[in-house]
Amino acid sequence: MALHSQRAKQWLDRLNASNHMLWLLGVISFLETIIIPIPIEVVLIPLLAVNRDRVWVIATVAMTGCLIASLVGYGVGMVLFQSIGVWFIDAMGMQDAYAAFQAFFDEHGFIAIITLGILPIPFQVAMITAGLSGYPVHLFVLAAVISRGIRYFGLAWLVLKFGERAQTLWQRHALVTSIVAAALVLGFSLGMRALAGMVM
């Protein structure tokens, strides 16, 4: 999905020209993580492309907004699951995804959060599940930083490397690349766990 319409391009130009662009991007990243079902890449990549001297700052802002939203989602799972959490999962139609991730999370914990965070699918399931289970918040934040860092800083590197072609490359290869990266992380983790079991 890309910003093809003239109205969308004008909106992006206004965002980029704003003195509050970084703050607005942080809010957009927060909202995308919590509820908006539109990948932030459709805004982030064009902003990175026209601000190549600030790609790392922009990626950091996007990740910060995501992390704040992740903590809100964690809090919902921990304190308000029976009210807001259940309503949110039902409203977003994520019942199957939530049930599947819960089993995955019960077995793999930290790596499950990283894996879901890398994949281009809603992160809300991981946030709510981690909060509901009482998973240590510092480990949850660390997993979110790793997974979202791969996502946002990977895009920044892509823009530095390929410029405006980054949008096309992301559209063509994002899903496959995300799946491969998640599979590598999961495979490495399971391999290390098996090795540790053999040693001990």
Side-chain angles (χ1 to χ4, degrees):
M1 185 177 184
L3 292 171
H4 288 306
S5 74
Q6 189 62 34
R7 181 178 297 179
K9 289 178 180 178
Q10 290 172 351
W11 177 85
L12 182 64
D13 289 340
R14 287 198 301 271
L15 174 62
N16 184 56
S18 171
N19 293 328
H20 307 292
M21 184 266 283
L22 293 176
W23 284 102
L24 293 171
L25 176 62
V27 171
I28 292 168
S29 180
F30 177 92
L31 294 174
E32 184 262 352
T33 303
I34 287 288
I35 197 165
I36 297 177
I38 299 174
I40 195 173
E41 286 84 352
V42 301
V43 174
L44 187 57
I45 293 176
L47 280 180
L48 290 168
V50 296
N51 294 280
R52 295 180 69 179
D53 58 328
R54 294 198 291 169
V55 293
W56 305 118
V57 173
I58 291 171
T60 300
V61 169
M63 189 171 74
T64 301
C66 174
L67 289 178
I68 294 171
S70 297
L71 286 171
V72 171
Y74 180 95
V76 167
M78 183 173 62
V79 180
L80 300 170
F81 177 76
Q82 294 302 328
S83 53
I84 296 176
V86 171
W87 170 82
F88 180 80
I89 289 170
D90 290 342
M92 298 295 287
M94 297 190 304
Q95 299 92 334
D96 293 340
Y98 175 74
F101 180 74
Q102 199 167 30
F104 184 43
F105 176 80
D106 289 342
E107 185 172 354
H108 299 290
F110 186 78
I111 295 301
I113 297 171
I114 293 179
T115 302
L116 189 71
I118 292 173
L119 293 170
I121 56 179
F123 194 53
Q124 296 96 330
V125 171
M127 301 185 302
I128 292 173
T129 303
L132 177 62
S133 70
Y135 191 72
V137 67
H138 65 283
L139 291 178
F140 169 73
V141 170
L142 179 59
V145 166
I146 292 171
S147 62
R148 293 312 196 177
I150 290 171
R151 180 181 179 184
Y152 298 133
F153 290 102
L155 286 175
W157 174 84
L158 195 68
V159 168
L160 281 179
K161 180 83 171 170
F162 298 103
E164 294 183 359
R165 290 176 51 212
Q167 181 84 38
T168 302
L169 291 170
W170 172 74
Q171 288 176 301
R172 289 180 180 172
H173 306 295
L175 181 59
V176 172
T177 303
S178 299
I179 291 172
V180 169
L184 288 173
V185 168
L186 182 59
F188 177 77
S189 172
L190 295 178
M192 293 301 292
R193 184 179 298 181
L195 183 60
M198 291 171 62
V199 172
M200 300 181 67

